[in-house]
Amino acid sequence: MSEPRRGRAGRWRRRLTRLVVLLVALVVAVYTVELVLRSFDLFGVNHGANTLRYRTEALRPTWFAPDGSRDLDGTLYRHKPNTTTDFGRFKIESNALGFRGPPVAVAKPARTFRIVVLGDSVTLGWGIDDEFTFCRRIERTLAARNDGWRYEVINTGHLAYDSTQEAALFEREALLLEPDLVLLVYVTNDVVEPTYLLVQALLDGAGVGGQAPTWCERLVHRGEQFLPASTALLRNVASRLDAGGVPTGADGQVLTPDASPIWADGWARSQRALRRVRDLCRERSLPFLVLDHTLPRMPVLAEFCRAESIPRHDFWFTQDELAKPIYNSMIDTHANALGNELLANKALRILDEARVLPR
């Protein structure tokens, strides 16, 4: 009887050994894939890690008023001045004023035409070097006109800014630079994910909407901690499958703010901010244009701007352009160098048609 028992024990040990070897090989394979994805930034898997680095290394908090209270109608955060954050594929470099781009003197030089561009990561030019952003391309093109004017395009974009922060930055800082023209690039997250609500939730120690995370969300969070690149890729693939392969911004897709209480609140705040920028510009006889880059489309923005006498211009990618390689990667869908070139061309056409440049 003892021999059969020893035989069974030996078989179980061999099976257990094979199982352990298989598990170790699986772990090694998973982490090898993770290492390759990270090292070569395949599919843009480092996008999440880069945005985290941007928040922790390139920004300083500004959400406190002089009396120490929370100023959630202010800028919330700003770029650290004279700071370079190198993400490998691109760099974010700020000047002494905390804006992306070359140095800017507060006192405007003679015969200088200044364009202030307000916006979020689209304006900032996330994922590419400054020279390829549409702001810098506009500046170079205008300079090549040799019309006796010196042109400066001041890029005030910050990742995840919404119109409330843009209005605060304009009123408190950009106006001091004596701009001659103000552009605001309006994107969908001005309504869908107003930073005000997200920061308020963090400061109050509650989740967005006050709901506890589901087991699936907890699992994804664990994956982001240990396998951030692989998790980012899987989430992107899953979201594309869930969307049925319909590209963002396809014809017929629209965003309606009243579909969600959070969106409705964000839209209300956004309207107040747009009115504030408009009024500040009117007081100084400054041309102010809204460049509508919402994807999916947001018809209420056009209706609002028409009712409030705010010039609004389409700043969208066409369906033909969406079919081109205009994004940084499959995961990071910010416009790449080609996408920014297309945006610069659109902006220049808008400026000519609006007749807001020196003549």
Side-chain angles (χ1 to χ4, degrees), residues 8-21:
R8 285 197 297 271
R11 285 196 299 274
W12 278 109
R13 280 195 297 270
R14 288 192 295 273
R15 290 173 181 173
L16 183 59
T17 300
R18 286 197 292 268
L19 180 61
V20 170
V21 171

Side-chain angles (χ1 to χ4, degrees), residues 19-337:
L19 180 61
V20 170
V21 171
L22 180 62
L23 289 175
V24 170
L26 180 62
V27 170
V28 170
V30 167
Y31 273 94
T32 298
V33 171
E34 175 74 14
L35 182 61
V36 170
L37 288 172
R38 286 196 216 176
S39 300
F40 297 96
D41 193 20
L42 299 179
F43 312 107
V45 293
N46 290 334
H47 174 56
N50 287 340
T51 56
L52 179 60
R53 280 194 58 206
Y54 170 82
R55 294 188 182 110
T56 55
E57 297 179 23
L59 301 179
R60 56 185 175 86
T62 56
W63 59 53
F64 292 106
D67 62 1
S69 61
R70 297 174 187 171
D71 180 17
L72 296 180
D73 288 323
T75 54
L76 299 181
Y77 50 86
R78 286 280 281 107
H79 290 139
K80 297 175 183 176
N82 296 318
T83 298
T84 298
T85 309
D86 190 340
F87 299 98
R89 287 192 304 106
F90 68 101
K91 296 178 182 178
I92 299 287
E93 299 177 271
S94 63
N95 56 31
L97 300 179
F99 299 130
R100 186 178 194 186
V104 175
V106 175
K108 185 169 64 175
R111 297 291 294 175
T112 295
F113 189 90
R114 276 186 173 168
I115 303 174
V116 163
V117 187
L118 307 172
D120 74 333
S121 52
V122 174
T123 299
L124 176 68
W126 178 261
I128 57 176
D129 287 330
D130 181 60
E131 64 181 300
F132 300 113
T133 63
F134 75 83
C135 287
R136 210 56 55 224
R137 290 176 184 273
I138 292 172
E139 187 177 75
R140 289 197 299 268
T141 301
L142 294 177
R145 291 163 47 140
N146 294 317
D147 57 2
W149 286 88
R150 178 175 178 270
Y151 291 91
E152 290 182 345
V153 179
I154 301 175
N155 182 347
T156 71
H158 283 66
L159 197 67
Y161 257 22
D162 60 28
S163 5
T164 297
Q165 294 165 61
E166 292 155 14
L169 186 149
F170 177 64
E171 181 174 8
R172 302 177 189 185
E173 299 182 54
L175 270 178
L176 300 177
L177 302 177
E178 304 176 80
D180 299 287
L181 171 63
V182 179
L183 307 177
L184 188 150
V185 179
Y186 198 96
V187 298
T188 312
N189 69 269
D190 279 47
V191 174
V192 177
E193 294 179 320
T195 307
Y196 162 79
L197 291 178
L198 299 179
V199 172
Q200 185 180 51
L202 291 173
L203 291 175
D204 292 341
V208 177
Q211 298 178 350
T214 64
W215 68 268
C216 186
E217 290 170 335
R218 293 180 186 276
L219 182 62
V220 170
H221 178 64
R222 288 298 181 187
E224 289 173 335
Q225 288 180 306
F226 297 104
L227 299 167
S230 302
T231 303
L233 180 58
L234 290 173
R235 288 184 68 174
N236 184 268
V237 171
S239 66
R240 286 171 179 268
L241 292 174
D242 193 43
V246 178
T248 301
D251 287 338
Q253 285 189 306
V254 298
L255 185 146
T256 307
D258 59 11
S260 162
I262 292 181
W263 297 359
D265 182 81
W267 173 230
R269 287 175 56 82
S270 181
Q271 291 177 79
R272 292 195 293 271
L274 291 174
R275 289 191 187 101
R276 183 58 180 154
V277 176
R278 177 203 62 188
D279 293 345
L280 288 168
C281 288
R282 280 183 178 174
E283 292 169 6
R284 294 158 178 80
S285 299
L286 272 176
F288 168 48
L289 308 180
V290 170
L291 306 185
D292 185 351
H293 192 66
T294 53
L295 292 171
R297 310 293 184 235
M298 201 173 123
V300 293
L301 176 63
E303 296 167 7
F304 168 79
C305 288
R306 188 163 47 248
E308 296 288 336
S309 300
I310 298 174
R312 184 207 66 89
H313 299 267
D314 293 345
F315 198 52
W316 304 324
F317 289 124
T318 66
Q319 290 302 306
D320 288 340
E321 290 169 340
L322 286 170
K324 296 178 180 180
I326 59 173
Y327 296 127
N328 287 326
S329 67
M330 184 177 79
I331 291 177
D332 179 7
T333 54
H334 289 90
N336 58 16

